[in-house]
Amino acid sequence: MSRVGVVGLGLIGGSFAKAYHEAGWEVLARNRSKSVLDFARLSGDVDGELTEQNVGTCDLVLVTIYPEAAIQSITEFAPYFGDKPVVIDCCGTKRVVCEACFPIAEEHGFTYLGGHPMAGTQFSGYKYARASLYKNAPMVIVPPDFDDIYLLEKVKNLLKPAGFSRFSVTTADKHDEMIAFTSQLAHIVSNAYVKSPTARLHHGFSAGSYKDLTRVAWLNAPMWAELFLENRDCLIREVDTLIENLTAYRDAMENGDRETLTALLEEGKRMKEEVDG
């Protein structure tokens, strides 16, 4: 029987545990809160605790906690991994974790890759985990060596139980640049948007647009703050670009400039069509 180790049983790790359990793998897990680990074991999603003694018997180890905690966990497990497991962190930023963990893996002789499952919800915690979370979702992989085709194929096979639809192989730098726009900026905009005084009065006046824009305002603040600060150079650049664009709309309205405002709106519509078909 194949064996997976999962470090962290929040939404991400819990969903991996459920998916691999459903696929017939043995699931070992470690979690900061013992009560969550005990509940996962009682639920049947986890077969036992992941320890220094058994981590080296795993085929795959998924580290699904905050970046700094992931580095600490991988560092602590490093002498015990051995050469069998493929170790993948699933943090939302890649530069900090990969820069720390690639040298650790080389020193101790285990296989490590950066990873980022492109799936989630606005909710966090094991109670929201589900086996289908990653079905048809993309998975980003940051390998230590882009020429190791065998390793990449091995990783894809090891991740099959999760149900990812495609894999993107990239660098940590490129990942963080892209994620600042596709994910982090969206969370900041959503979180800032609901701070309008009008938000408390909107009931009966809102529909799909409001729901779409505010969905991710409900976030895990400590986690996202850590991710934002680790990627602040890329994210500040995106925030500055957004402020510049918003200012253009505001200036057009303040000046009563229908022609410019229409042109700005048409430009945004056209760009949406171009980038998303």
Side-chain angles (χ1 to χ4, degrees), residues 209-241:
S209 298
Y210 173 83
K211 292 178 181 178
D212 290 345
L213 188 53
T214 60
R215 181 179 66 83
V216 293
W218 192 337
L219 46 70
N220 181 335
M223 180 190 76
W224 283 103
E226 181 174 331
L227 294 173
F228 291 164
L229 290 174
E230 288 187 354
N231 202 31
R232 58 184 175 269
D233 55 341
C234 295
L235 185 52
I236 288 172
R237 187 163 58 246
E238 292 295 342
V239 170
D240 286 345
T241 299

Side-chain angles (χ1 to χ4, degrees), residues 111-127:
T111 302
Y112 161 76
L113 302 93
H116 188 181
M118 302 306 298
T121 73
Q122 67 270 41
F123 304 112
S124 60
Y126 182 78
K127 70 177 181 177

Side-chain angles (χ1 to χ4, degrees), residues 117-159:
M118 302 306 298
T121 73
Q122 67 270 41
F123 304 112
S124 60
Y126 182 78
K127 70 177 181 177
Y128 295 107
R130 62 180 189 271
S132 61
L133 182 67
Y134 306 114
K135 188 174 182 181
N136 297 323
M139 176 68 174
V140 179
I141 297 293
V142 179
D145 181 2
F146 283 79
D147 295 326
D148 194 340
I149 304 302
Y150 169 77
L151 175 60
L152 294 175
E153 284 302 313
K154 181 179 181 180
V155 168
K156 290 179 183 179
N157 286 329
L158 287 171
L159 290 171

Side-chain angles (χ1 to χ4, degrees), residues 66-208:
Y66 298 3
E68 293 298 332
I71 294 170
Q72 181 179 348
S73 180
I74 290 171
T75 301
E76 291 173 354
F77 271 130
Y80 308 99
F81 282 128
D83 58 7
K84 182 179 181 180
V86 170
V87 181
I88 302 175
D89 86 86
C90 298
C91 300
T93 56
K94 296 270 67 82
R95 284 179 295 177
V96 170
V97 182
C98 288
E99 286 171 9
C101 293
F102 281 144
I104 295 171
E106 185 175 359
E107 177 186 353
H108 290 275
F110 64 90
T111 302
Y112 161 76
L113 302 93
H116 188 181
M118 302 306 298
T121 73
Q122 67 270 41
F123 304 112
S124 60
Y126 182 78
K127 70 177 181 177
Y128 295 107
R130 62 180 189 271
S132 61
L133 182 67
Y134 306 114
K135 188 174 182 181
N136 297 323
M139 176 68 174
V140 179
I141 297 293
V142 179
D145 181 2
F146 283 79
D147 295 326
D148 194 340
I149 304 302
Y150 169 77
L151 175 60
L152 294 175
E153 284 302 313
K154 181 179 181 180
V155 168
K156 290 179 183 179
N157 286 329
L158 287 171
L159 290 171
K160 273 186 178 178
F164 293 109
S165 62
R166 61 187 183 276
F167 294 85
S168 297
V169 180
T170 188
T171 65
D173 287 340
K174 190 64 174 179
H175 169 275
D176 287 3
E177 179 184 344
M178 290 296 101
I179 217 69
F181 172 72
T182 61
S183 176
Q184 294 180 339
L185 181 65
H187 282 77
I188 285 181
V189 170
S190 182
N191 196 265
Y193 176 80
V194 295
K195 293 179 180 178
S196 166
T198 315
R200 299 184 184 278
L201 308 172
H202 79 88
H203 298 289
F205 294 87
S206 59

